[in-house]
Amino acid sequence: MGYYTRYELVPLDSVLDVKDIIEKIREVRGADDEVAETLEYVLNEGSTKWYEHDEDMKAVSLLFPGVLFELSGEGEESGDLWRTYYKDGKMQHSPANTSYPPYNEALLR
């Protein structure tokens, strides 16, 4: 058993799409590269167990200098939402921050 997460990868500020990324990974790392296979699965299916996504995406970002990648995730548990940004082998993790506006009696209808 494992924890499934729905992933979406977007190369920001770039003309690349995920298919271009997969092709480049296979060109550099081999036709049966595990990261390329995972990204292809994510592209087609969305949900998978990808525990090494941070290390994998940092490595992928090194293949595309200057390109900012956004990997979004939605886990099986309610509220498990996040986005992680990767650029030049570095990352920034951003969990979702859910908040509710305070009660305002003037808004009652």
Side-chain angles (χ1 to χ4, degrees):
M1 200 161 173
Y3 191 77
Y4 282 88
T5 301
R6 180 162 194 72
Y7 295 95
E8 181 180 358
L9 177 63
V10 178
L12 301 173
D13 301 327
S14 174
V15 296
L16 295 170
D17 65 18
V18 178
K19 290 178 183 179
D20 298 327
I21 296 163
I22 293 167
E23 184 177 309
K24 174 79 171 188
I25 294 169
R26 288 192 167 132
E27 177 184 308
V28 172
R29 296 172 55 165
D32 59 348
D33 182 78
E34 189 174 317
V35 175
E37 289 180 12
T38 300
L39 284 175
E40 192 164 55
Y41 188 84
V42 164
L43 177 64
N44 295 321
E45 303 296 328
S47 280
T48 190
K49 296 180 257 182
W50 186 15
Y51 303 118
E52 306 84 18
H53 64 268
D54 284 331
E55 292 307 312
D56 289 347
M57 283 304 305
K58 285 194 282 185
V60 166
S61 72
L62 288 171
L63 297 175
F64 300 89
V67 175
L68 176 62
F69 294 93
E70 177 187 274
L71 183 66
S72 299
E74 180 178 355
E76 291 179 85
E77 295 179 12
S78 177
D80 183 8
L81 301 167
W82 52 264
R83 287 185 179 160
T84 304
Y85 302 93
Y86 305 89
K87 184 175 183 181
D88 299 328
K90 298 176 185 176
M91 64 174 264
Q92 173 196 331
H93 180 73
S94 302
N97 183 6
T98 303
S99 65
Y100 297 95
Y103 171 73
N104 181 342
E105 192 152 353
L107 297 177
L108 291 175
R109 299 180 195 261

